[in-house]
Amino acid sequence: FLRINNSLMIKYSAIIPTKNGGKYLTHTVKSVLTNKYKDCEILISFNKSSDNSLKVIRKIDDKRIRIFSTPSNFSMSKHYEWILNKAKGKWIFILGDDDAISKNFFSTIDDYLEKCSDKNIEAISVNRANYYWNGVQNIYGPAAIRYMQSNKYKIINSKINLFKVLLGIMPYSKLPGLYVSGLVNRNLIEKIKKLKKNNKFFNEPNPDVYSALIVSSYIKKYLRIEKPLFWVGTSTKSVAYKL
């Protein structure tokens, strides 16, 4: 694992793994850049894309962007692991290439962390809004967005909610996963990796579900923010649509 000198560490890493992201990827990247927050980085990792998305992204001039290309065609979990190891942030999250974050994402997370500064928080679960790209109406209907405003937050017992998810009475997205549902402190990620024989964080083919379950199993509590700060996009390239 790449160790970063604390004096050089930035606060947030937004990771965007992509494969043929097309027109959606540009909007995802711009949703992060719209945040005028300086203490962050955007890692865009291309998994042997065959479209022109890499060429398009290279035209965006912003010092916060770091662009990577995998040396070969990786599986989803291998790709996530590969790019996760290149992140420098104290807090890390992953976006799909048709997802987005809200305009004041980073400053809002800062506010909630300040409110809970005495709670030793290592993971955050954040509520999500939904956006339906044009082309999926045949399955999801005419609605373009689903959004429910709330400013509530609380400290959650992770074991209780993990048990609810395993019983099937609560969605895994309410746990503090890395993928479009929360942020995880890099110290916790390193801790989890050290406890694995292969020194890997992602050890299952479905990294979104896995990250939520593994993080919750290693902590006693987490911060739950009900304000929707992630936008989960559903497009014709989304796994949910193809299923």
Side-chain angles (χ1 to χ4, degrees), residues 91-145:
W91 291 94
I92 302 172
F93 65 94
I94 299 175
L95 287 176
D97 58 12
D98 57 1
D99 301 321
I101 60 174
S102 64
K103 183 177 181 180
N104 299 309
F105 180 92
F106 299 108
S107 59
T108 302
I109 296 295
D110 276 351
D111 291 342
Y112 283 107
L113 284 174
E114 178 63 27
K115 292 175 182 178
C116 302
S117 59
D118 61 336
K119 303 298 183 181
N120 193 28
I121 297 299
E122 294 181 287
I124 307 169
S125 170
V126 182
N127 200 5
R128 317 191 298 186
N130 297 90
Y131 179 80
Y132 302 95
W133 290 94
N134 189 35
V136 300
Q137 286 75 19
N138 60 317
I139 293 180
Y140 295 96
I145 63 172

Side-chain angles (χ1 to χ4, degrees), residues 33 42 60-66:
L33 296 179
I42 304 105
I60 301 176
D61 183 18
D62 194 296
K63 293 180 179 179
R64 294 173 293 175
I65 292 178
R66 301 171 63 203

